[in-house]
Amino acid sequence: MINPDIHEILDGHKPLGGVNVGRVMDVLIVASAIAIALETMPQLPGYLRNFLLSFEIFLLVIFSIEYLVRLTTAPRPLRYAFSFWGIIDLLSIAPAIALLTPQWLVVRTFRLLRLVRLLKLFRGSHAMERLVVAFRQVRGELLVFGVIAGLMLYVSAVGIYIFEHDAQPEVFASIPDSLWWAVASFTTVGYGDMFPITPGGKIFTTIVLFIGLGVIAVPSAIVTAALLESETNIQRRIREAAESTDD
Amino acid sequence: MINPDIHEILDGHKPLGGVNVGRVMDVLIVASAIAIALETMPQLPGYLRNFLLSFEIFLLVIFSIEYLVRLTTAPRPLRYAFSFWGIIDLLSIAPAIALLTPQWLVVRTFRLLRLVRLLKLFRGSHAMERLVVAFRQVRGELLVFGVIAGLMLYVSAVGIYIFEHDAQPEVFASIPDSLWWAVASFTTVGYGDMFPITPGGKIFTTIVLFIGLGVIAVPSAIVTAALLESETNIQRRIREAAESTDD
Amino acid sequence: MINPDIHEILDGHKPLGGVNVGRVMDVLIVASAIAIALETMPQLPGYLRNFLLSFEIFLLVIFSIEYLVRLTTAPRPLRYAFSFWGIIDLLSIAPAIALLTPQWLVVRTFRLLRLVRLLKLFRGSHAMERLVVAFRQVRGELLVFGVIAGLMLYVSAVGIYIFEHDAQPEVFASIPDSLWWAVASFTTVGYGDMFPITPGGKIFTTIVLFIGLGVIAVPSAIVTAALLESETNIQRRIREAAESTDD
Amino acid sequence: MINPDIHEILDGHKPLGGVNVGRVMDVLIVASAIAIALETMPQLPGYLRNFLLSFEIFLLVIFSIEYLVRLTTAPRPLRYAFSFWGIIDLLSIAPAIALLTPQWLVVRTFRLLRLVRLLKLFRGSHAMERLVVAFRQVRGELLVFGVIAGLMLYVSAVGIYIFEHDAQPEVFASIPDSLWWAVASFTTVGYGDMFPITPGGKIFTTIVLFIGLGVIAVPSAIVTAALLESETNIQRRIREAAESTDD
């Protein structure tokens, strides 16, 4: 077995003995993310906590082996070690080592580094490329409408602060507090922790909501539209590349 | 009257004595669903509860007759009995029998099987085909963006947990709890049972909401777009089939 | 001045002495609607209540004169009296008479008939036609997806009832109560009066929300799309009619 | 250096000694907006409050210099002084003068005039033009659907008032109060301060929400669509202008 083959197996492009190793690694990464989430539950019984610790050690061994295999079989090991995916692979095993020494003070935040493993899900798939392409495509548009949406949020926050501050000095305590109301209202999430109670504040909210929802929806609509079109664009590029090769 | 005619009558494609029997059966199914809902109301007066029981027995008789008629008039009875609709027809009368013996322990969950009757609404209509076609058409897209949306929810939940856990240890108790916040926020439902109170948590929410709403909206937008286009596609197929027959 | 001219003046298609009478009537109708709303405010000072009563009498006189003018100048008075707009015109003055006899028992609900005046805003404009055209155009689609959306709401309500009834017997008391939760959640309004608290209920909600939001959004999307396209369609018909005349 | 050059430098179209002065001014305007927001925070420590005051004086000096430079280098100073941007420039320094005399009674509201500085962000960029073009393009549509959406809100408010007033006389106290519920519900914000509790009110809400969300969404959809298309239109105009020049 030659080295590039091993990389293709680990990336999930080639099966090994009928098993898609890359897919198995993806499942382990997702299982790792679920384990990280479960660990934070305070009511977790002791035996499950021990199981999760064992699972983390198991993952550490697996990802360490993967890292060593990739490093030793890479055509140019140093280049891999300092490549984007090489650093991600190293970072995804480093926190596990920290996990094993719970005395260490910075261990808690350091453990979150395990989440970089999630990025490995995108290796060898087109999903990452699609996201990057979609965002790059609409970068300019997004910036302009992001600024306009930001201004509208700010002006709405100032307005509601003027109308509601005297009636609810604790709730609409300052303009930054009112900005939080503007975010929750214009995204239509509406948590219900802040809402106008004065007639003026309600009329102001009605007016800015109806004018502003269309404006605020633009950045999200741009992202949605770009993502919906992104695959088409990649396919178009591939087709165009194929056509230019055919000629 | 020949047998296929009876099936056409029961499916609502042919009237019987001026009455569309299939449509009447649909009305009975919907009435059955309403009855199941009403039965759960604790403040229901006794006479209405007795009426609903009688109605259930009436439905049991009707659907049993339908099953027997379909079974006996089917060209190949066994094939019907083990077909998708044959099993649905049988399941939709089985729970009613259980209903009549309230001593039976598993009766409560078993009664819910009556809801499979709802599936019978789709028999003989294009609605089911439309839904299935729409979902099949966008299966790949939906999986990719479903995974991306899931990752974004997870990362947002981890982030809000880091920002809010110390300030609200009861509310943002763990990452799974924070995931529920992420679901309620990114779908813009915003129940108001969980929301950030720290400045860091609010700023984090603002940023991930504006970036994430566009990404999270993609799976729903894909389903909506596919459903809106599905009829057109079925019509196109029918037209293409008709055209290929014409040639 | 001939009779058809008077109708054109009242409909706002022709000015009378430089004043668009139809537009003035529209302003009075909107003012009437605002007055009806203000009358319900309990903290209203007495002088304003008296003013609103006087305003209502003023409107009664104006709309009675309009009705009489329309009736006497109509080419066929009886045909007008029993036409859609003739009945609307009569109904919009009838409640005001009731208003003047507050002893009458049914007066309160009867007074709401004054709201039919709002319909008069649509006379002589294309807005009503646009709405009717848009809804008629998508009637079939709307029915199918309305039924599908209804089924999804019902199934979600049954599901959340099973998961949450034991944990919150007061909140998720019955399936009809759970249906209200389903409506508030799937429209993303999320009042916060009902939400799942069990892990099972939260996971169920997450799954049905992500699958269902796309399906539930279809009826609204159909109406929005039809309304956005309706003008274009009217214009197309007018153009096509013009073209067929040109030939 | 000739005068038009100075204006081009201040507008950000030309760098001065490698620095884009217009861009620096934009950053100062945004910093000014953030400072105005921070000033309202009650828990602000004294030294930060002093720093913000100093920053305001610094901005006052900078914007005063800008105004004087623009005024003296303008080809026709009076014309600039009474132009839109000239008045904006003057208004954006006037409030700062008021800020320095805190004894003055009207100072608080007067200080908000500083927010007009935000408008200066749009000078020399196409963003303002894009917004204006988008709104002008859909003005007619927006008016018609704005009126229809307003009527639907009003009718829904009257309906919920009839259903809920007797059950919740404090919450649904009047039709104007119910209008606030209609706004919060139809925008799907759903603060949770008002919601129906009677079966009739819940069924009414369900029906009007499903019919009305599509109608209410139209004004926002029109704005979003117009903004998404606005750049394309400007580019088309530029292209058409270029083509007509080429001929």
Side-chain angles (χ1 to χ4, degrees):
Chain A
M1 192 190 285
I2 55 166
N3 294 347
D5 270 6
I6 291 172
H7 276 256
E8 293 230 317
I9 286 164
L10 288 170
D11 286 353
H13 297 315
K14 240 184 212 176
L16 175 66
V19 178
N20 188 327
V21 179
R23 206 66 27 198
V24 170
M25 297 304 276
D26 284 354
V27 170
L28 285 179
I29 292 164
V30 170
S32 163
I34 294 169
I36 291 169
L38 291 179
E39 270 174 36
T40 61
M41 295 177 77
Q43 71 271 34
L44 206 71
Y47 70 91
L48 207 62
R49 199 171 294 278
N50 289 334
F51 171 77
L52 290 175
L53 191 68
S54 314
F55 181 64
E56 184 61 30
I57 294 164
F58 165 73
L59 286 175
L60 168 66
V61 172
I62 294 286
F63 290 127
S64 300
I65 291 170
E66 188 203 0
Y67 183 69
L68 291 174
V69 168
R70 279 185 185 271
L71 195 67
T72 50
T73 63
R76 295 164 63 183
L78 265 175
R79 197 179 169 181
Y80 164 72
F82 291 102
S83 72
F84 178 72
W85 290 117
I87 291 164
I88 294 294
D89 285 343
L90 185 60
L91 285 176
S92 65
I93 53 171
I97 298 166
L99 178 82
L100 302 181
T101 58
Q103 295 81 359
W104 198 9
L105 258 171
V106 288
V107 78
R108 194 165 146 219
T109 45
F110 201 53
R111 278 164 68 188
L112 282 164
L113 262 176
R114 289 181 289 169
L115 285 172
V116 298
R117 282 180 202 150
L118 283 172
L119 281 175
K120 294 170 80 171
L121 283 179
F122 292 106
R123 179 160 56 190
S125 84
H126 287 292
M128 187 72 153
E129 191 189 352
R130 195 180 294 184
L131 272 174
V132 170
V133 166
F135 273 100
R136 190 177 298 157
Q137 216 176 348
V138 296
R139 206 173 27 187
E141 291 285 288
L142 215 55
L143 187 73
V144 169
F145 285 107
V147 167
I148 292 173
L151 285 179
M152 186 149 302
L153 282 179
Y154 181 81
V155 169
S156 301
V158 171
I160 204 74
Y161 173 75
I162 294 169
F163 279 110
E164 293 291 324
H165 178 63
D166 291 333
Q168 305 184 81
E170 297 293 309
V171 182
F172 290 88
S174 65
I175 291 176
D177 283 327
S178 305
L179 261 169
W180 172 243
W181 166 85
V183 168
S185 296
F186 280 99
T187 57
T188 77
V189 174
Y191 287 118
D193 52 342
M194 295 172 83
F195 46 81
I197 56 166
T198 65
K202 286 175 176 178
I203 292 165
F204 175 79
T205 304
T206 304
I207 294 167
V208 294
L209 268 185
F210 273 92
I211 296 177
L213 281 182
V215 176
I216 298 285
V218 173
S220 282
I222 288 172
V223 172
T224 307
L227 282 172
L228 288 171
E229 280 174 17
S230 61
E231 198 191 25
T232 327
N233 278 305
I234 293 170
Q235 290 175 331
R236 202 182 303 150
R237 280 189 195 180
I238 293 166
R239 208 181 50 237
E240 284 172 4
E243 279 167 3
S244 65
T245 315
D246 290 351
D247 295 342
Chain B
M1 191 190 285
I2 55 166
N3 293 348
D5 269 7
I6 291 173
H7 276 256
E8 294 230 317
I9 285 165
L10 288 169
D11 285 353
H13 297 314
K14 240 183 211 176
L16 175 67
V19 178
N20 188 327
V21 179
R23 206 65 28 198
V24 170
M25 296 304 276
D26 284 354
V27 170
L28 285 179
I29 292 164
V30 170
S32 163
I34 294 170
I36 292 169
L38 291 178
E39 270 175 34
T40 62
M41 294 178 76
Q43 70 271 34
L44 206 71
Y47 69 91
L48 208 61
R49 198 172 294 279
N50 290 335
F51 171 77
L52 290 176
L53 191 67
S54 315
F55 181 65
E56 184 62 29
I57 294 164
F58 166 73
L59 286 175
L60 169 66
V61 172
I62 294 287
F63 290 128
S64 301
I65 292 170
E66 188 203 1
Y67 183 68
L68 291 174
V69 168
R70 280 185 185 271
L71 196 65
T72 50
T73 63
R76 296 163 62 181
L78 266 176
R79 196 178 168 181
Y80 163 73
F82 291 102
S83 72
F84 178 72
W85 291 117
I87 291 164
I88 295 294
D89 284 343
L90 184 60
L91 286 175
S92 65
I93 52 171
I97 298 166
L99 179 82
L100 302 181
T101 59
Q103 295 82 359
W104 198 8
L105 259 170
V106 288
V107 78
R108 195 165 147 216
T109 43
F110 200 53
R111 279 165 67 188
L112 282 165
L113 262 176
R114 289 180 290 168
L115 284 172
V116 298
R117 281 181 203 149
L118 283 172
L119 281 174
K120 293 170 79 172
L121 283 179
F122 291 106
R123 179 160 56 190
S125 84
H126 287 291
M128 188 72 153
E129 190 189 352
R130 194 180 295 185
L131 272 174
V132 170
V133 165
F135 273 100
R136 190 177 299 157
Q137 216 175 349
V138 296
R139 205 173 27 187
E141 292 283 289
L142 215 54
L143 187 74
V144 170
F145 284 107
V147 168
I148 292 173
L151 285 179
M152 186 149 304
L153 283 179
Y154 182 81
V155 169
S156 302
V158 171
I160 204 74
Y161 173 74
I162 295 169
F163 279 110
E164 294 291 323
H165 178 63
D166 291 333
Q168 305 184 80
E170 297 293 309
V171 182
F172 290 88
S174 64
I175 291 177
D177 283 327
S178 305
L179 261 170
W180 172 244
W181 166 85
V183 168
S185 296
F186 280 99
T187 57
T188 79
V189 174
Y191 287 119
D193 52 341
M194 294 173 83
F195 46 80
I197 57 165
T198 65
K202 287 176 176 178
I203 292 166
F204 175 79
T205 304
T206 304
I207 293 167
V208 295
L209 268 185
F210 272 92
I211 296 177
L213 282 183
V215 176
I216 298 285
V218 173
S220 280
I222 289 172
V223 172
T224 306
L227 283 172
L228 287 172
E229 280 174 18
S230 61
E231 198 191 25
T232 327
N233 278 305
I234 294 171
Q235 290 175 332
R236 201 181 303 149
R237 279 190 196 180
I238 294 167
R239 209 181 48 238
E240 282 172 5
E243 280 167 3
S244 65
T245 315
D246 291 351
D247 296 340
Chain C
M1 192 190 286
I2 55 165
N3 295 348
D5 271 6
I6 291 173
H7 276 256
E8 293 231 317
I9 286 165
L10 288 170
D11 286 354
H13 297 315
K14 240 185 211 175
L16 175 67
V19 178
N20 188 327
V21 178
R23 207 65 27 196
V24 170
M25 297 304 275
D26 285 354
V27 170
L28 285 178
I29 293 163
V30 170
S32 163
I34 294 170
I36 291 169
L38 291 178
E39 270 173 36
T40 63
M41 295 178 76
Q43 70 271 34
L44 206 70
Y47 69 91
L48 208 61
R49 200 171 294 279
N50 289 334
F51 171 77
L52 290 176
L53 191 67
S54 314
F55 181 65
E56 184 61 30
I57 294 164
F58 167 73
L59 286 176
L60 168 65
V61 173
I62 294 287
F63 290 127
S64 301
I65 292 170
E66 189 203 0
Y67 183 68
L68 290 174
V69 169
R70 279 185 185 272
L71 195 66
T72 51
T73 62
R76 296 163 62 182
L78 266 176
R79 196 179 169 181
Y80 164 73
F82 291 100
S83 72
F84 178 73
W85 290 118
I87 291 164
I88 295 294
D89 284 342
L90 185 60
L91 285 175
S92 64
I93 54 171
I97 298 166
L99 178 82
L100 302 180
T101 59
Q103 295 82 358
W104 198 7
L105 258 171
V106 288
V107 78
R108 196 165 145 218
T109 43
F110 200 55
R111 278 165 68 188
L112 283 164
L113 262 175
R114 288 182 289 169
L115 285 172
V116 297
R117 281 181 202 149
L118 284 172
L119 282 174
K120 294 170 78 171
L121 283 179
F122 291 106
R123 179 161 55 192
S125 83
H126 287 290
M128 187 72 152
E129 191 188 352
R130 194 180 297 184
L131 272 174
V132 170
V133 166
F135 273 99
R136 189 177 299 156
Q137 215 175 351
V138 296
R139 205 175 26 188
E141 292 284 289
L142 216 54
L143 187 74
V144 170
F145 285 107
V147 167
I148 293 173
L151 285 179
M152 187 149 302
L153 283 179
Y154 181 80
V155 169
S156 302
V158 171
I160 205 74
Y161 173 75
I162 295 168
F163 279 110
E164 294 291 325
H165 178 63
D166 291 333
Q168 305 183 82
E170 296 292 310
V171 183
F172 290 88
S174 64
I175 291 175
D177 283 327
S178 305
L179 261 170
W180 173 244
W181 166 84
V183 168
S185 296
F186 279 99
T187 58
T188 78
V189 174
Y191 288 117
D193 53 341
M194 294 173 83
F195 46 81
I197 56 165
T198 65
K202 286 176 176 178
I203 292 165
F204 176 79
T205 304
T206 304
I207 293 167
V208 293
L209 268 186
F210 273 92
I211 296 177
L213 281 183
V215 176
I216 298 283
V218 173
S220 281
I222 288 172
V223 173
T224 307
L227 283 172
L228 287 172
E229 280 174 18
S230 61
E231 199 192 23
T232 326
N233 278 306
I234 293 170
Q235 290 175 333
R236 201 182 303 149
R237 280 190 195 180
I238 293 166
R239 208 180 50 237
E240 283 171 5
E243 280 166 3
S244 65
T245 315
D246 290 351
D247 295 342
Chain D
M1 192 191 285
I2 55 167
N3 293 348
D5 271 7
I6 291 173
H7 276 256
E8 294 230 318
I9 286 165
L10 288 170
D11 285 354
H13 297 315
K14 239 183 211 176
L16 175 67
V19 179
N20 188 327
V21 178
R23 207 64 29 197
V24 171
M25 296 304 276
D26 284 354
V27 170
L28 285 179
I29 292 164
V30 171
S32 162
I34 294 169
I36 291 169
L38 292 178
E39 270 172 37
T40 61
M41 296 178 76
Q43 69 272 34
L44 206 70
Y47 69 90
L48 207 60
R49 200 170 293 278
N50 289 334
F51 171 76
L52 290 176
L53 191 68
S54 314
F55 181 64
E56 183 61 29
I57 294 164
F58 166 72
L59 286 175
L60 168 65
V61 172
I62 294 286
F63 290 127
S64 300
I65 291 170
E66 189 202 0
Y67 183 67
L68 290 175
V69 168
R70 279 185 185 271
L71 195 67
T72 50
T73 62
R76 296 164 62 182
L78 266 175
R79 196 178 169 183
Y80 164 73
F82 291 100
S83 72
F84 178 73
W85 290 116
I87 290 163
I88 294 295
D89 284 343
L90 185 59
L91 285 175
S92 65
I93 53 172
I97 298 167
L99 178 82
L100 302 181
T101 59
Q103 295 81 0
W104 198 10
L105 258 171
V106 288
V107 78
R108 196 166 145 217
T109 43
F110 201 53
R111 277 165 69 188
L112 283 164
L113 263 176
R114 288 182 289 169
L115 284 172
V116 298
R117 279 180 203 150
L118 284 172
L119 282 174
K120 294 170 78 171
L121 283 179
F122 291 106
R123 179 160 55 192
S125 85
H126 287 291
M128 187 72 154
E129 191 188 352
R130 194 180 295 185
L131 272 174
V132 171
V133 166
F135 273 100
R136 190 177 299 158
Q137 216 175 349
V138 296
R139 205 173 27 186
E141 292 284 289
L142 215 54
L143 188 73
V144 170
F145 284 107
V147 167
I148 293 173
L151 286 178
M152 187 150 302
L153 283 179
Y154 181 82
V155 170
S156 302
V158 170
I160 204 74
Y161 173 75
I162 295 168
F163 280 110
E164 293 292 324
H165 178 64
D166 290 333
Q168 306 183 80
E170 296 293 309
V171 182
F172 290 88
S174 65
I175 291 175
D177 283 327
S178 304
L179 261 169
W180 172 243
W181 166 85
V183 168
S185 296
F186 280 99
T187 57
T188 78
V189 174
Y191 287 118
D193 53 341
M194 295 173 83
F195 46 80
I197 56 165
T198 65
K202 285 175 177 179
I203 291 166
F204 175 79
T205 304
T206 304
I207 293 167
V208 294
L209 268 184
F210 272 92
I211 296 176
L213 281 183
V215 177
I216 298 284
V218 173
S220 281
I222 288 172
V223 173
T224 307
L227 283 172
L228 287 172
E229 281 174 16
S230 61
E231 199 191 25
T232 327
N233 278 306
I234 293 170
Q235 290 175 332
R236 202 182 304 149
R237 280 190 195 179
I238 293 166
R239 207 180 51 236
E240 283 172 4
E243 280 167 4
S244 65
T245 315
D246 290 352
D247 294 342

